[in-house]
Amino acid sequence: MFIIDCPWCGARDQSEFSTHGEAHIVRPEDPETVDDTEWGQYVFYRNNVKGWYRERWMHAFGCRRWFNVLRNTASDAIATTYVPGAPRPSLPEDT
Amino acid sequence: MSAKPNRVGKKPPQKYSIFSLAHQAMQKHTGWQAAWRSPEPQAEYDVIIVGGGGHGLATAYYLAKETNVGRIAVLEKGWLAGGNTARNTTIIRSNYLCDESAKLYGHAHQLWEGLSQDINYNVMFSPRGVLMLSHNVHDQQVAARHFHALHLNGIESHLLGPEEIQEKVPLLNMHGRYPVLGGLYQPRAGNAHHNALAWGYARAADQMGVDIIENCGVTGFMIKNGVVKGVKTVKGVIRASKVGVVAAGHSSVLAEMAGFKMPLESMPLQAFVSEPVKPCFNTVVMSNSVHVYMSQSDKGELVIGAGSDNYVSYTQRGSFDLTDCTISPLIELYPFVSRLRMLRQWAGIVDITKDRSPIITKTPIENLYFNCGWGTGGFKATPGSGHVFAHSIAAGEMHKIAVPFGMDRFTTGALINEAAAVMH
Ligand SMILES: Cc1cc2nc3c(=O)[nH]c(=O)nc-3n(C[C@H](O)[C@H](O)[C@H](O)COP(=O)(O)OP(=O)(O)OC[C@H]3O[C@@H](n4cnc5c(N)ncnc54)[C@H](O)[C@@H]3O)c2cc1C
Ligand SMILES: [Zn+2]
């Protein structure tokens, strides 16, 4: 359980948000030309990192807008949140 | 190659029985041996199992007992079976939907039934029945669908009506916010003791010469031309011809060390136990649509399982809001529980696949095998998982029950969809 800083509404309890997995996974431009291996990677394979992880959240019981979170999955500490399209923040130095 | 341990000059291993108990009682219990040795790792093994939870220990046991692979070690990062094996709610059932699952979980269920005798350790397997409640029309349709699928696979189960359920579980509130419309009952299902399973396999494997090495986390793999040659550990490099990884929530972390990804996400799953009370609840009851699972341990504690958090985390805590989401339907269904104090709450990190079926597989690295993805419900499968994994590693070819569970299914699309299924 943690507090998430919604880029639009500010700090709110995590239970107000829904979570949607790893961020920055791009759907293949032209699915027709992609082979099963690549498609499988896109649909099912995740980095599932123990450490700093960029992921998508949505403020489900608030403004209902999507954004990205940079969170450490080993401690649940959040470094920053950022809106879609914003440059990816670099990983914090320590862990 | 010899699988015999270095027991020179040591007494033969003790066999547990009523006679050894009486014998020890007369010596004031001063003569019990340690249940397993704590050896230092050797420089090389034929097979290394990474992860000393139930599945890893079972794998090592069946490797030693039923194959002739030679020297075997289990490397455990922490203490023996301190992961999900020690943290689960111990529900054992084999009423899964798909044919592939019926074979895998059915195989495990059969092994459970003779396990205490096989490993000479009382795993307290208690087939007290598992009842899954239906609270709405959709639940009832799912139950009926499972019932028919199970019937076709020869797995006995029964659809029960409200009267039969009330008789079985008198303390269940049938007419609250979550009315009980019916249920699916598997009489052969039940539970067992989590630690006994791990300790029993550890002791039996140790007696056949398996080195079980605790506090020996694996930090990397030695890989040459795409073939695994051994592991790097906090106790140094250990060479091996074959390596089997059985690391549950940390499977992706180990895969990353070997240079590939797994189709997994690791999430906290929590549970709690109450203070002990007199026997009042003699079956296992699951409410899948509200994620409440309850049974009573032999000590008298009510063991309560919750749902999993749905974000990746390795924190082994479980969030407060989920605790709340479990407690409120819990006391709706079982009002008497509201007066009980909870003694402990904890979480384990479960490795979840998109089709909610496990992965028992070869990997892009030759001679490196993974057994993972058991997610929220692998305790029940421990003996079967270990058995088919051991035979797969020994043969270099996946056991026929394991074949459909390869990670290639996430490429071919031949998923084994138990996603309609439940936690635990
Ligand atoms: C709260 C909860 C309730 C559950 N309830 C049920 C239930 O009712 N019924 C059911 O069937 N299942 C249930 N499960 C699921 C079940 O617990 C697991 O599927 C099963 O125990 C997995 O066993 P395992 O041996 O693979 O994993 P674990 O017991 O987690 O063993 C994996 C081991 O690998 C070790 N490891 C990790 N990284 C390394 C490394 N780098 N080097 C060396 N070792 C490493 C870990 O320390 C750990 O001991 C539940 C799980 C939880 C958390
Ligand atoms: Zn918001």
Side-chain angles (χ1 to χ4, degrees), chain B residues 45-61 63 71-83 85 210-223 228-234 236-258 260 351 359 363 367-374 385-386 389 393:
Chain B
Y45 290 92
D46 293 288
V47 179
I48 285 178
I49 300 299
V50 180
H55 288 235
L57 294 164
T59 306
Y61 169 71
L63 273 170
R71 297 154 303 165
I72 304 161
V74 177
L75 309 183
E76 166 55 48
K77 181 173 65 175
W79 63 93
L80 196 97
T85 301
V210 173
D211 283 355
I212 297 168
I213 302 156
E214 295 170 80
N215 298 314
C216 188
V218 168
T219 54
F221 294 92
M222 297 194 306
I223 296 167
V228 73
K229 299 288 177 194
V231 295
K232 297 171 194 160
T233 77
V234 296
V237 165
I238 310 175
R239 291 191 306 279
S241 315
K242 294 179 176 183
V243 178
V245 174
V246 204
H250 281 74
S251 299
S252 293
V253 176
L254 280 141
E256 195 192 346
M257 292 175 196
F260 57 90
D351 42 336
I359 299 172
T363 67
N367 294 340
L368 176 63
Y369 301 81
F370 266 61
N371 183 351
C372 56
W374 289 97
S385 158
F389 197 46
I393 292 174

Coordinates of all heavy atoms in Angstrom, one line a residue, chain B residues 45-61 63 71-83 85 210-223 228-234 236-258 260 351 359 363 367-374 385-386 389 393:
Chain B
Y45 N 28.1 -30.6 -9.4 CA 27.0 -31.6 -9.3 C 26.6 -32.0 -10.7 O 26.8 -31.3 -11.6 CB 25.8 -31.0 -8.5 CG 26.1 -30.8 -7.0 CD1 26.6 -29.5 -6.6 CD2 25.9 -31.8 -6.1 CE1 26.9 -29.3 -5.2 CE2 26.2 -31.6 -4.7 CZ 26.7 -30.3 -4.3 OH 26.9 -30.1 -3.0
D46 N 25.8 -33.1 -10.7 CA 25.2 -33.5 -12.0 C 24.0 -32.6 -12.2 O 23.7 -32.1 -13.3 CB 24.9 -34.9 -12.0 CG 26.1 -35.8 -12.0 OD1 26.8 -35.8 -13.0 OD2 26.5 -36.3 -10.9
V47 N 23.1 -32.4 -11.2 CA 22.0 -31.6 -11.3 C 21.9 -30.6 -10.1 O 22.0 -31.0 -9.0 CB 20.7 -32.4 -11.3 CG1 19.5 -31.4 -11.5 CG2 20.7 -33.4 -12.5
I48 N 21.7 -29.3 -10.4 CA 21.5 -28.3 -9.4 C 20.0 -27.9 -9.5 O 19.6 -27.5 -10.6 CB 22.4 -27.2 -9.5 CG1 23.8 -27.6 -9.0 CG2 21.9 -26.0 -8.7 CD1 24.9 -26.5 -9.1
I49 N 19.3 -27.9 -8.4 CA 18.0 -27.3 -8.3 C 18.1 -26.0 -7.6 O 18.6 -25.9 -6.5 CB 17.0 -28.2 -7.6 CG1 16.9 -29.6 -8.3 CG2 15.6 -27.6 -7.4 CD1 16.4 -29.5 -9.7
V50 N 17.7 -24.9 -8.2 CA 17.7 -23.6 -7.6 C 16.3 -23.3 -7.0 O 15.3 -23.2 -7.7 CB 18.1 -22.5 -8.7 CG1 18.1 -21.1 -8.0 CG2 19.4 -22.8 -9.3
G51 N 16.3 -23.1 -5.7 CA 15.0 -22.8 -5.0 C 14.7 -24.0 -4.1 O 14.3 -25.1 -4.6
G52 N 14.7 -23.8 -2.8 CA 14.4 -24.9 -1.9 C 13.0 -24.7 -1.3 O 12.9 -24.8 -0.1
G53 N 12.0 -24.5 -2.1 CA 10.7 -24.6 -1.7 C 10.2 -26.0 -1.9 O 10.9 -26.9 -2.3
G54 N 8.9 -26.2 -1.7 CA 8.3 -27.6 -1.9 C 8.6 -28.1 -3.2 O 9.0 -29.3 -3.4
H55 N 8.4 -27.3 -4.3 CA 8.6 -27.9 -5.6 C 10.0 -28.2 -5.9 O 10.3 -29.3 -6.6 CB 8.1 -26.8 -6.7 CG 6.6 -26.7 -6.7 ND1 5.9 -26.8 -7.9 CD2 5.7 -26.4 -5.8 CE1 4.6 -26.6 -7.7 NE2 4.5 -26.3 -6.4
G56 N 11.0 -27.4 -5.4 CA 12.4 -27.7 -5.7 C 12.8 -29.0 -4.9 O 13.5 -29.9 -5.4
L57 N 12.3 -29.1 -3.7 CA 12.7 -30.2 -2.8 C 12.1 -31.5 -3.4 O 12.7 -32.6 -3.4 CB 12.2 -30.0 -1.4 CG 13.0 -28.9 -0.7 CD1 12.3 -28.4 0.6 CD2 14.4 -29.3 -0.3
A58 N 10.8 -31.4 -3.8 CA 10.1 -32.6 -4.4 C 10.9 -33.0 -5.7 O 11.1 -34.2 -5.9 CB 8.7 -32.2 -4.8
T59 N 11.3 -32.0 -6.5 CA 12.1 -32.4 -7.7 C 13.3 -33.2 -7.3 O 13.7 -34.2 -7.9 CB 12.5 -31.1 -8.4 OG1 11.3 -30.3 -8.7 CG2 13.2 -31.4 -9.8
A60 N 14.1 -32.6 -6.3 CA 15.3 -33.3 -5.9 C 15.0 -34.7 -5.4 O 15.7 -35.7 -5.7 CB 16.0 -32.5 -4.8
Y61 N 13.9 -34.9 -4.6 CA 13.6 -36.2 -4.1 C 13.3 -37.2 -5.2 O 13.9 -38.3 -5.2 CB 12.3 -36.0 -3.2 CG 11.7 -37.4 -2.8 CD1 12.4 -38.2 -1.9 CD2 10.5 -37.8 -3.4 CE1 11.8 -39.4 -1.6 CE2 10.0 -39.0 -3.0 CZ 10.6 -39.9 -2.1 OH 10.1 -41.1 -1.8
L63 N 14.2 -37.0 -8.3 CA 15.5 -37.2 -9.1 C 16.3 -38.3 -8.4 O 16.8 -39.2 -9.1 CB 16.3 -35.9 -9.2 CG 16.0 -34.9 -10.3 CD1 16.7 -33.6 -10.0 CD2 16.3 -35.5 -11.7
R71 N 24.9 -36.9 -8.6 CA 25.0 -36.0 -7.5 C 24.0 -34.8 -7.7 O 24.0 -34.2 -8.8 CB 26.4 -35.4 -7.4 CG 27.4 -36.5 -7.1 CD 28.8 -36.0 -7.6 NE 28.8 -35.8 -9.0 CZ 29.7 -35.1 -9.6 NH1 30.8 -34.6 -9.0 NH2 29.6 -34.9 -10.9
I72 N 23.2 -34.6 -6.7 CA 22.1 -33.6 -6.8 C 22.3 -32.6 -5.6 O 22.6 -33.0 -4.5 CB 20.8 -34.2 -6.7 CG1 20.6 -35.3 -7.7 CG2 19.6 -33.2 -6.8 CD1 19.5 -36.3 -7.4
A73 N 22.1 -31.3 -5.9 CA 22.1 -30.3 -4.8 C 20.8 -29.4 -5.0 O 20.4 -29.1 -6.1 CB 23.3 -29.4 -4.9
V74 N 20.3 -28.9 -3.9 CA 19.3 -27.9 -3.9 C 19.9 -26.7 -3.3 O 20.4 -26.7 -2.2 CB 18.0 -28.3 -3.1 CG1 17.0 -27.2 -3.0 CG2 17.4 -29.6 -3.6
L75 N 19.9 -25.5 -4.0 CA 20.4 -24.3 -3.5 C 19.3 -23.4 -3.1 O 18.5 -23.0 -3.9 CB 21.3 -23.6 -4.5 CG 22.4 -24.5 -5.2 CD1 23.3 -23.7 -6.1 CD2 23.3 -25.2 -4.1
E76 N 19.3 -22.9 -1.9 CA 18.2 -22.1 -1.4 C 18.8 -20.8 -0.9 O 19.7 -20.8 -0.1 CB 17.4 -22.8 -0.3 CG 16.5 -21.9 0.5 CD 15.5 -21.1 -0.3 OE1 14.8 -21.7 -1.2 OE2 15.4 -19.9 0.0
K77 N 18.2 -19.7 -1.4 CA 18.7 -18.3 -1.0 C 18.5 -18.0 0.5 O 19.4 -17.5 1.1 CB 17.9 -17.3 -1.8 CG 18.2 -15.9 -1.6 CD 17.5 -15.0 -2.5 CE 16.0 -15.0 -2.3 NZ 15.2 -14.0 -3.1
G78 N 17.4 -18.4 1.0 CA 17.1 -18.1 2.5 C 17.2 -19.4 3.3 O 18.1 -20.2 3.1
W79 N 16.1 -19.6 4.0 CA 16.0 -20.9 4.8 C 15.0 -21.8 4.0 O 14.3 -21.3 3.2 CB 15.6 -20.7 6.2 CG 14.3 -20.1 6.4 CD1 13.1 -20.7 6.6 CD2 13.9 -18.7 6.4 NE1 12.1 -19.8 6.7 CE2 12.5 -18.6 6.6 CE3 14.7 -17.5 6.3 CZ2 11.9 -17.3 6.7 CZ3 14.0 -16.3 6.4 CH2 12.6 -16.2 6.6
L80 N 15.1 -23.0 4.4 CA 14.4 -24.0 3.6 C 12.9 -23.7 3.6 O 12.3 -23.5 4.7 CB 14.6 -25.4 4.4 CG 14.2 -26.6 3.5 CD1 15.4 -27.2 2.8 CD2 13.5 -27.6 4.4
A81 N 12.3 -23.6 2.4 CA 10.9 -23.4 2.2 C 10.3 -22.2 3.0 O 9.3 -22.3 3.6 CB 10.1 -24.7 2.6
G82 N 11.1 -21.1 3.0 CA 10.5 -19.9 3.6 C 9.7 -19.0 2.6 O 9.3 -18.0 3.0
G83 N 9.6 -19.5 1.4 CA 8.9 -18.8 0.4 C 7.4 -19.1 0.4 O 6.8 -19.2 1.5
T85 N 5.9 -21.7 -0.1 CA 5.5 -23.0 0.5 C 5.1 -22.8 2.0 O 4.2 -23.4 2.5 CB 6.7 -24.0 0.4 OG1 7.0 -24.2 -0.9 CG2 6.4 -25.3 1.1
V210 N 21.0 -36.2 -1.4 CA 20.9 -34.8 -2.0 C 21.5 -33.8 -1.0 O 21.2 -33.9 0.2 CB 19.4 -34.5 -2.3 CG1 19.3 -33.0 -2.7 CG2 18.8 -35.4 -3.3
D211 N 22.3 -32.9 -1.5 CA 22.9 -31.8 -0.6 C 21.9 -30.7 -0.6 O 21.6 -30.1 -1.7 CB 24.2 -31.4 -1.1 CG 25.4 -32.3 -0.8 OD1 25.1 -33.3 0.0 OD2 26.5 -32.1 -1.2
I212 N 21.3 -30.4 0.5 CA 20.4 -29.2 0.6 C 21.2 -28.1 1.2 O 21.6 -28.2 2.4 CB 19.2 -29.6 1.4 CG1 18.4 -30.7 0.7 CG2 18.3 -28.3 1.6 CD1 17.3 -31.3 1.5
I213 N 21.4 -27.0 0.5 CA 22.3 -25.9 0.9 C 21.5 -24.7 1.1 O 21.1 -24.0 0.1 CB 23.5 -25.8 0.0 CG1 24.2 -27.2 -0.1 CG2 24.4 -24.7 0.4 CD1 25.0 -27.4 -1.4
E214 N 21.3 -24.3 2.3 CA 20.5 -23.1 2.6 C 21.5 -21.9 2.6 O 22.7 -22.0 2.6 CB 19.8 -23.2 4.0 CG 18.8 -24.3 4.0 CD 18.2 -24.6 5.3 OE1 17.3 -23.9 5.8 OE2 18.6 -25.6 5.9
N215 N 20.9 -20.7 2.6 CA 21.7 -19.4 2.6 C 22.7 -19.4 1.4 O 23.8 -19.0 1.6 CB 22.4 -19.2 3.9 CG 21.4 -19.1 5.1 OD1 20.5 -18.3 4.9 ND2 21.7 -19.8 6.1
C216 N 22.2 -19.9 0.3 CA 23.1 -20.0 -0.9 C 22.4 -19.5 -2.1 O 22.0 -20.3 -3.0 CB 23.5 -21.5 -1.0 SG 24.8 -21.7 -2.3
G217 N 22.2 -18.2 -2.1 CA 21.4 -17.6 -3.2 C 22.2 -17.7 -4.5 O 23.4 -17.5 -4.5
V218 N 21.5 -17.9 -5.6 CA 22.2 -17.9 -6.9 C 22.2 -16.5 -7.5 O 21.1 -15.8 -7.5 CB 21.4 -18.9 -7.8 CG1 21.9 -18.7 -9.3 CG2 21.6 -20.3 -7.4
T219 N 23.3 -16.1 -7.9 CA 23.5 -14.7 -8.4 C 23.7 -14.6 -9.9 O 23.7 -13.5 -10.5 CB 24.6 -14.0 -7.7 OG1 25.8 -14.8 -7.8 CG2 24.4 -13.8 -6.2
G220 N 23.9 -15.7 -10.5 CA 24.2 -15.7 -12.0 C 24.4 -17.1 -12.5 O 24.4 -18.1 -11.7
F221 N 24.4 -17.3 -13.8 CA 24.6 -18.6 -14.4 C 25.9 -18.6 -15.2 O 26.3 -17.5 -15.8 CB 23.4 -18.9 -15.4 CG 22.1 -19.1 -14.6 CD1 21.3 -18.1 -14.5 CD2 21.8 -20.4 -14.1 CE1 20.1 -18.2 -13.8 CE2 20.6 -20.5 -13.5 CZ 19.7 -19.5 -13.3
M222 N 26.6 -19.7 -15.3 CA 27.7 -19.8 -16.2 C 27.2 -20.5 -17.5 O 26.7 -21.6 -17.4 CB 28.8 -20.7 -15.5 CG 29.3 -20.0 -14.3 SD 30.8 -20.8 -13.7 CE 30.3 -22.5 -13.6
I223 N 27.3 -19.7 -18.5 CA 26.7 -20.2 -19.8 C 27.8 -20.1 -20.9 O 28.4 -19.1 -21.0 CB 25.5 -19.3 -20.2 CG1 24.4 -19.5 -19.2 CG2 25.0 -19.7 -21.6 CD1 23.2 -18.5 -19.2
V228 N 24.2 -24.2 -20.3 CA 24.5 -23.9 -19.0 C 25.6 -24.8 -18.4 O 25.6 -26.0 -18.7 CB 23.2 -23.9 -18.1 CG1 22.7 -25.3 -17.8 CG2 23.4 -23.2 -16.8
K229 N 26.5 -24.2 -17.7 CA 27.6 -25.0 -17.2 C 27.7 -25.0 -15.6 O 28.5 -25.6 -15.0 CB 29.0 -24.4 -17.7 CG 29.1 -24.5 -19.2 CD 29.3 -25.9 -19.7 CE 29.4 -26.0 -21.2 NZ 29.3 -27.4 -21.6
G230 N 26.8 -24.2 -15.0 CA 26.9 -24.1 -13.6 C 26.2 -22.8 -13.1 O 25.6 -22.1 -13.9
V231 N 26.4 -22.5 -11.8 CA 25.7 -21.3 -11.3 C 26.8 -20.6 -10.4 O 27.7 -21.1 -9.9 CB 24.5 -21.7 -10.4 CG1 23.4 -22.3 -11.2 CG2 24.9 -22.6 -9.2
K232 N 26.6 -19.2 -10.4 CA 27.3 -18.4 -9.4 C 26.5 -18.2 -8.2 O 25.3 -17.9 -8.3 CB 27.7 -17.1 -10.1 CG 28.5 -17.2 -11.3 CD 28.7 -15.8 -12.0 CE 29.2 -16.1 -13.4 NZ 28.9 -15.0 -14.3
T233 N 27.1 -18.4 -7.0 CA 26.3 -18.2 -5.8 C 27.0 -17.4 -4.8 O 28.2 -17.1 -5.1 CB 26.0 -19.6 -5.1 OG1 27.2 -20.0 -4.4 CG2 25.6 -20.7 -6.1
V234 N 26.4 -17.0 -3.8 CA 27.1 -16.2 -2.7 C 28.1 -17.1 -2.0 O 29.0 -16.5 -1.4 CB 26.1 -15.7 -1.7 CG1 25.1 -14.7 -2.3 CG2 25.3 -16.8 -1.0
G236 N 30.2 -18.9 -3.9 CA 31.1 -19.3 -5.0 C 30.5 -20.0 -6.1 O 29.3 -20.2 -6.1
V237 N 31.3 -20.3 -7.1 CA 30.8 -20.9 -8.3 C 30.6 -22.4 -8.1 O 31.4 -23.1 -7.4 CB 31.8 -20.7 -9.5 CG1 31.6 -21.6 -10.6 CG2 31.8 -19.2 -9.9
I238 N 29.5 -23.0 -8.6 CA 29.3 -24.4 -8.5 C 29.0 -24.9 -9.9 O 28.0 -24.4 -10.5 CB 28.1 -24.7 -7.5 CG1 28.3 -24.0 -6.2 CG2 28.0 -26.2 -7.3 CD1 27.1 -24.2 -5.2
R239 N 29.7 -25.9 -10.4 CA 29.5 -26.4 -11.7 C 28.4 -27.4 -11.7 O 28.2 -28.1 -10.8 CB 30.8 -27.0 -12.3 CG 31.9 -26.0 -12.6 CD 33.0 -26.6 -13.3 NE 33.6 -27.8 -12.7 CZ 34.4 -27.8 -11.7 NH1 34.9 -26.6 -11.2 NH2 34.9 -28.9 -11.2
A240 N 27.7 -27.5 -12.9 CA 26.6 -28.5 -13.0 C 26.4 -28.8 -14.4 O 26.6 -28.0 -15.3 CB 25.3 -28.0 -12.3
S241 N 25.9 -30.1 -14.7 CA 25.6 -30.5 -16.1 C 24.2 -30.0 -16.4 O 23.9 -29.7 -17.6 CB 25.6 -32.0 -16.2 OG 26.8 -32.5 -15.6
K242 N 23.3 -30.0 -15.4 CA 22.0 -29.5 -15.7 C 21.5 -28.7 -14.5 O 21.9 -28.9 -13.3 CB 21.0 -30.7 -15.8 CG 21.3 -31.6 -17.0 CD 20.3 -32.7 -17.1 CE 20.6 -33.5 -18.4 NZ 19.6 -34.6 -18.5
V243 N 20.7 -27.7 -14.8 CA 20.2 -26.8 -13.7 C 18.7 -26.7 -13.9 O 18.2 -26.4 -15.0 CB 20.8 -25.4 -13.8 CG1 20.2 -24.5 -12.7 CG2 22.3 -25.5 -13.7
G244 N 17.9 -26.9 -12.8 CA 16.5 -26.7 -12.8 C 16.1 -25.5 -11.9 O 16.6 -25.5 -10.7
V245 N 15.4 -24.5 -12.4 CA 15.1 -23.4 -11.5 C 13.7 -23.5 -11.1 O 12.8 -23.6 -11.9 CB 15.4 -22.1 -12.3 CG1 14.9 -20.9 -11.5 CG2 16.8 -21.9 -12.6
V246 N 13.4 -23.4 -9.8 CA 12.1 -23.5 -9.2 C 12.0 -22.4 -8.2 O 12.0 -22.7 -7.0 CB 11.9 -24.9 -8.5 CG1 10.4 -25.2 -8.5 CG2 12.6 -26.0 -9.3
A247 N 11.9 -21.2 -8.6 CA 12.1 -20.0 -7.7 C 10.8 -19.2 -7.6 O 10.8 -18.1 -7.1 CB 13.2 -19.2 -8.2
A248 N 9.6 -19.7 -8.0 CA 8.3 -19.0 -7.8 C 8.4 -17.6 -8.1 O 8.7 -17.2 -9.3 CB 7.8 -19.3 -6.3
G249 N 8.1 -16.7 -7.2 CA 8.0 -15.2 -7.4 C 9.3 -14.6 -8.0 O 9.2 -13.6 -8.7
H250 N 10.4 -15.3 -7.8 CA 11.7 -14.7 -8.3 C 12.1 -15.4 -9.7 O 13.3 -15.2 -10.1 CB 12.8 -14.9 -7.3 CG 12.7 -13.8 -6.2 ND1 11.8 -13.9 -5.2 CD2 13.4 -12.7 -6.0 CE1 11.9 -12.8 -4.4 NE2 12.9 -12.1 -4.9
S251 N 11.2 -16.0 -10.3 CA 11.6 -16.7 -11.6 C 12.1 -15.7 -12.6 O 13.1 -16.0 -13.3 CB 10.4 -17.5 -12.1 OG 10.1 -18.5 -11.2
S252 N 11.4 -14.6 -12.7 CA 11.8 -13.6 -13.7 C 13.2 -13.1 -13.4 O 14.0 -12.8 -14.3 CB 10.9 -12.4 -13.8 OG 9.6 -12.8 -14.3
V253 N 13.5 -12.9 -12.1 CA 14.8 -12.4 -11.7 C 15.9 -13.4 -12.2 O 17.0 -13.0 -12.7 CB 14.9 -12.2 -10.2 CG1 16.2 -11.7 -9.7 CG2 13.8 -11.2 -9.8
L254 N 15.6 -14.7 -12.0 CA 16.6 -15.7 -12.4 C 16.7 -15.8 -13.9 O 17.8 -16.0 -14.5 CB 16.3 -17.0 -11.8 CG 16.8 -17.0 -10.3 CD1 15.9 -17.7 -9.4 CD2 18.2 -17.6 -10.2
A255 N 15.6 -15.6 -14.6 CA 15.6 -15.7 -16.1 C 16.4 -14.5 -16.6 O 17.2 -14.7 -17.5 CB 14.2 -15.6 -16.6
E256 N 16.3 -13.4 -16.0 CA 17.1 -12.2 -16.4 C 18.6 -12.5 -16.3 O 19.4 -12.1 -17.1 CB 16.7 -11.0 -15.6 CG 17.2 -9.7 -16.2 CD 17.0 -8.5 -15.3 OE1 16.3 -8.6 -14.3 OE2 17.7 -7.5 -15.6
M257 N 19.0 -13.2 -15.2 CA 20.4 -13.5 -15.0 C 20.9 -14.4 -16.2 O 22.0 -14.4 -16.5 CB 20.6 -14.3 -13.7 CG 20.4 -13.5 -12.4 SD 20.5 -14.7 -11.0 CE 19.8 -13.7 -9.7
A258 N 19.9 -15.2 -16.7 CA 20.3 -16.1 -17.8 C 20.1 -15.5 -19.2 O 20.3 -16.1 -20.2 CB 19.5 -17.4 -17.7
F260 N 17.1 -14.1 -20.6 CA 15.8 -14.1 -21.3 C 14.7 -13.7 -20.4 O 14.9 -13.5 -19.2 CB 15.5 -15.5 -21.9 CG 15.5 -16.7 -20.9 CD1 14.4 -17.0 -20.2 CD2 16.7 -17.4 -20.6 CE1 14.4 -18.1 -19.3 CE2 16.7 -18.4 -19.7 CZ 15.6 -18.8 -19.1
D351 N 4.0 -15.9 -8.8 CA 4.4 -15.6 -10.2 C 3.2 -16.0 -11.1 O 2.9 -17.2 -11.3 CB 5.6 -16.5 -10.5 CG 5.6 -17.9 -10.0 OD1 4.9 -18.1 -9.0 OD2 6.3 -18.8 -10.5
I359 N 4.2 -23.1 -15.8 CA 5.2 -23.2 -16.9 C 6.2 -24.3 -16.4 O 6.9 -24.1 -15.4 CB 5.9 -21.9 -17.2 CG1 4.9 -20.8 -17.6 CG2 7.0 -22.1 -18.3 CD1 5.5 -19.5 -17.8
T363 N 14.3 -24.0 -21.8 CA 14.5 -22.6 -22.0 C 15.4 -22.3 -23.2 O 16.0 -23.3 -23.7 CB 15.2 -22.0 -20.7 OG1 16.5 -22.5 -20.6 CG2 14.4 -22.3 -19.5
N367 N 20.1 -27.3 -21.3 CA 20.2 -27.9 -20.0 C 19.8 -27.0 -18.9 O 20.1 -27.3 -17.7 CB 21.7 -28.4 -19.8 CG 22.1 -29.5 -20.7 OD1 21.2 -30.2 -21.3 ND2 23.3 -29.7 -21.0
L368 N 19.1 -25.9 -19.2 CA 18.6 -25.1 -18.1 C 17.0 -25.2 -18.2 O 16.5 -24.9 -19.3 CB 19.0 -23.6 -18.3 CG 18.4 -22.6 -17.3 CD1 18.8 -22.9 -15.9 CD2 18.9 -21.2 -17.7
Y369 N 16.4 -25.6 -17.1 CA 15.0 -25.9 -17.1 C 14.3 -25.0 -16.1 O 14.9 -24.6 -15.1 CB 14.7 -27.3 -16.7 CG 15.3 -28.3 -17.7 CD1 16.7 -28.7 -17.5 CD2 14.6 -28.9 -18.7 CE1 17.3 -29.6 -18.4 CE2 15.2 -29.8 -19.6 CZ 16.5 -30.2 -19.4 OH 17.1 -31.1 -20.3
F370 N 13.1 -24.5 -16.4 CA 12.4 -23.7 -15.4 C 11.0 -24.4 -15.1 O 10.4 -25.0 -16.0 CB 12.1 -22.3 -16.0 CG 13.1 -21.3 -15.7 CD1 14.4 -21.4 -16.0 CD2 12.7 -20.1 -15.0 CE1 15.3 -20.4 -15.7 CE2 13.6 -19.1 -14.6 CZ 14.9 -19.3 -15.0
N371 N 10.7 -24.3 -13.8 CA 9.4 -24.8 -13.3 C 8.8 -23.6 -12.5 O 9.3 -23.4 -11.4 CB 9.6 -26.0 -12.5 CG 8.3 -26.6 -12.0 OD1 7.2 -26.1 -12.2 ND2 8.3 -27.8 -11.5
C372 N 7.8 -22.9 -13.0 CA 7.3 -21.7 -12.4 C 5.9 -21.4 -12.8 O 5.3 -22.2 -13.4 CB 8.3 -20.6 -12.7 SG 8.4 -20.3 -14.5
G373 N 5.5 -20.2 -12.5 CA 4.1 -19.8 -12.9 C 3.0 -20.4 -12.2 O 1.9 -20.4 -12.6
W374 N 3.3 -21.0 -11.0 CA 2.3 -21.7 -10.3 C 1.4 -20.7 -9.6 O 0.3 -21.1 -9.1 CB 2.9 -22.7 -9.2 CG 3.5 -23.9 -9.9 CD1 4.8 -24.0 -10.2 CD2 2.8 -25.0 -10.4 NE1 5.0 -25.2 -10.9 CE2 3.8 -25.9 -11.0 CE3 1.5 -25.4 -10.4 CZ2 3.5 -27.1 -11.6 CZ3 1.2 -26.7 -10.9 CH2 2.1 -27.5 -11.5
S385 N 4.3 -31.8 -9.6 CA 5.2 -30.9 -10.3 C 6.6 -31.4 -10.1 O 7.4 -31.5 -11.1 CB 5.1 -29.5 -9.6 OG 6.2 -28.7 -9.8
G386 N 7.0 -31.8 -8.9 CA 8.4 -32.3 -8.7 C 8.6 -33.5 -9.5 O 9.7 -33.7 -10.1
F389 N 8.8 -32.8 -13.3 CA 10.0 -32.0 -13.5 C 11.3 -32.8 -13.4 O 12.2 -32.7 -14.2 CB 10.1 -30.8 -12.6 CG 11.0 -29.7 -13.0 CD1 11.0 -29.2 -14.3 CD2 11.8 -29.1 -12.1 CE1 11.8 -28.2 -14.7 CE2 12.6 -28.0 -12.5 CZ 12.6 -27.6 -13.8
I393 N 14.0 -33.4 -16.4 CA 15.4 -33.0 -16.3 C 16.3 -34.2 -16.6 O 17.3 -34.2 -17.3 CB 15.7 -32.4 -14.9 CG1 15.0 -31.1 -14.7 CG2 17.2 -32.3 -14.7 CD1 15.1 -30.5 -13.3

